[in-house]
Amino acid sequence: MHTPHRPRPRPQPLAPAHAHHPTPEQHAAAEAFSNGSHLVIQAGAGTGKTTTLAMLAHSARRQGRLGRYIAFNRAVARHAARRFPAEVACTTAHALAYTAVGRRYQARMNAPRQAGWRTGAALGIDDGMCVRIGPRKVNNKALSSTVLRTVTRFCQSADREIAAHHVPPLRGAESAPLHTQLTGLVLPYARKAWADLQHPDHGAVRFEHDHYLKMWALSDPVIPADFLLLDEAQDTNPVVEQVFTAQRDHAQLVLVGDSAQAIYGWRGARDVMTGFDGRQLSLSRSFRFGPALAAEANRWLQIVDAPIRLTGSPSLRTELRGTRTPEAILCRTNAGAMVEVIRQLDAGRRVALAGGGASLSALARAAHALEHGRRAAHPELTLFASWAELREYAECDPAGRDLLPLIELVDEHGSQALLPALDRLVPEESAEVTVSTAHRAKGREWASVRIADDFTAPDDLDEHDEDGAPVPGPIDLDEARLAYVAVTRARSLLDIGGLSWINTHPAGDPRPTGAKPREPAQGKHSKHSAPTQTRRSERGENTLQKSPG
């Protein structure tokens, strides 16, 4: 058990206002925190996580302790700052790293994007270079891309030096001997790229936010605080985990999150709550929705073997039924979101896209120019000579993956359909319906939610049951976590829509074997009414990323 610092005398504040009486679970968390224990708090969807953390922060203030709250992004940190006392600084890991290290590299921030092979050329990879590794020919473009991806993987890790395991495998050269040959080729250039990034004022490699975060972590920083609250701990990169856990000798550590909402593994994040050496607590009473939706959420929690099950608020009534006019539509992919945007516009509704459509529109116009053989004026795309070069950059270069949704949208729908739709979007405050990916909807809630049709069932196995019907394949756990996030965004009404296949999947009914399965939602497709898709969790939703911190 960690012994907190000796309390400093402080004026006694008024108790924070709460929308409800604290639950026994919240009281238990506050008591354990006051005792100085390192804590892991599993907080299910809508269970009053922020209110609980505010309780802890105010109790620490009464003890005269100073702390920091570390959030996943700036918006969450700003929201928390309105709830926490001034003695608790609310920030992000990137903001801490920027203050300590990143500001010295401001001159290299926001440099124009360029194709990876151009960066590789600046690092010494010859334009005509081509090396055979087993059956695979590795040309200068593939090598440049692999070098940059190696640096990215290193920056996401807790390692102190770039090593062979940071080199991503290449298709056709996955075996150990061939990968060893590949690493021998890649590592000298990757180390040269990392050395290039150390120059504050100039360099060939485009400087990213994760670069200064890694530099900060390598400096073994000490965060001055009596306690640290790490929010969304289930989506923490190993590099942030390394910095956070290194503080445990001088600060009380509290990890808060929901392991079942760990949906950013494809970005290098991992659930650091599991296995953390601390007292395990939970928040399972949801104040967002009623018992019916809690039961729906628990189906997905059972599939992912989550450490908690939810209890809905008995004072709230949440219906599970179809609706044509939801307040929000949640999609699996950005392409699916654009389909829903166009559908809702055609239906005459005022539509908003979560996160706003302005930046996407500007990029789409630039992409339209490239697609039609013209140079783009947009600063993000000005160095690309063609649409093919941009596509290759987005598909192969780790720095360009945030552009991949745009590429896919234009390729699938064409800019002639995409641009007019984006021009008709309105701000959320004046919209009748908000369309969002499930990833972007995390942390949000709406009165009524419909799940879009691009949440499709797993592939059938090459087996049949006693009635001759195909046996459904297992549910991918990453997809089940994303489904849990999606269904728990509603307060009053949930239309499970594209997830209705769960009603006839063996894993979807937690009742004893032999019980009659649930009927699919009326008017919605069952398991076989939508095309199946292969595993998509590696790339996640491909959301257009904003600068962190």
Side-chain angles (χ1 to χ4, degrees), residues 306-353:
I308 61 172
R309 298 294 183 271
L310 294 179
T311 301
S313 176
S315 63
L316 298 177
R317 181 169 181 264
T318 307
E319 298 181 87
L320 273 67
R321 60 173 174 82
T323 177
R324 293 182 179 275
T325 56
E327 188 176 293
I329 301 173
L330 304 187
C331 307
R332 176 63 185 80
T333 63
N334 276 288
M338 281 308 304
V339 169
E340 289 293 345
V341 163
I342 294 170
R343 284 178 181 170
Q344 294 299 309
L345 289 171
D346 288 345
R349 302 188 79 194
R350 295 190 304 277
V351 185
L353 187 64

Side-chain angles (χ1 to χ4, degrees), residues 29 32-33 36-41 53 56 65 68-70 227-233 244 251-257 273 276 279 281:
F33 177 72
S37 303
H38 296 304
L39 303 178
V40 175
I41 304 176
L53 290 177
L56 305 189
R65 295 198 290 157
R68 286 186 180 272
Y69 165 85
I70 302 174
F227 64 91
L228 297 173
L229 308 175
L230 179 64
D231 200 357
E232 300 290 343
F244 181 80
Q252 181 185 10
L253 305 184
V254 179
L255 287 76
V256 188
M273 302 175 70
F276 179 79
R279 182 174 174 183
L281 298 170

Side-chain angles (χ1 to χ4, degrees), residues 37-75:
S37 303
H38 296 304
L39 303 178
V40 175
I41 304 176
Q42 289 281 353
T47 56
K49 177 183 67 174
T50 303
T51 298
T52 305
L53 290 177
M55 288 174 57
L56 305 189
H58 281 275
S59 70
R61 184 183 183 185
R62 289 191 291 273
Q63 292 179 324
R65 295 198 290 157
L66 303 177
R68 286 186 180 272
Y69 165 85
I70 302 174
F72 191 70
N73 58 47
R74 284 179 293 180

Side-chain angles (χ1 to χ4, degrees), residues 10-26:
R10 296 276 179 179
Q12 295 297 309
L14 296 174
H18 298 290
H20 54 79
H21 295 294
T23 66
E25 289 176 325
Q26 290 174 318

Side-chain angles (χ1 to χ4, degrees), residues 262-428:
I263 59 175
Y264 287 105
W266 52 276
R267 279 200 328 208
R270 75 181 198 93
D271 176 15
V272 303
M273 302 175 70
T274 304
F276 179 79
D277 183 15
R279 182 174 174 183
Q280 304 284 323
L281 298 170
S282 63
L283 301 175
S284 60
R285 164 77 176 276
S286 181
F287 300 95
R288 180 179 299 160
F289 42 73
L293 202 151
E296 180 68 26
N298 286 339
R299 291 208 278 175
W300 299 101
L301 290 174
Q302 175 166 297
I303 291 169
V304 301
D305 195 23
I308 61 172
R309 298 294 183 271
L310 294 179
T311 301
S313 176
S315 63
L316 298 177
R317 181 169 181 264
T318 307
E319 298 181 87
L320 273 67
R321 60 173 174 82
T323 177
R324 293 182 179 275
T325 56
E327 188 176 293
I329 301 173
L330 304 187
C331 307
R332 176 63 185 80
T333 63
N334 276 288
M338 281 308 304
V339 169
E340 289 293 345
V341 163
I342 294 170
R343 284 178 181 170
Q344 294 299 309
L345 289 171
D346 288 345
R349 302 188 79 194
R350 295 190 304 277
V351 185
L353 187 64
S359 60
L360 187 59
S361 292
L363 281 169
R365 294 181 195 285
H368 178 76
L370 281 175
E371 187 186 21
H372 289 80
R374 303 190 304 273
R375 280 278 188 175
H378 194 288
E380 290 277 291
L381 308 183
T382 188
L383 295 182
F384 295 93
S386 67
W387 179 253
E389 186 176 305
L390 175 61
R391 182 190 288 111
E392 182 179 54
Y393 169 76
E395 291 176 345
C396 301
D397 195 314
R401 289 191 176 183
D402 58 324
L403 292 175
L404 195 55
L406 175 67
I407 306 298
E408 292 176 338
L409 289 172
V410 173
D411 282 347
E412 182 170 348
H413 300 288
S415 54
Q416 297 300 327
L418 185 62
L419 286 170
L422 291 171
D423 285 341
R424 294 168 62 192
L425 292 173
V426 300
E428 285 196 56

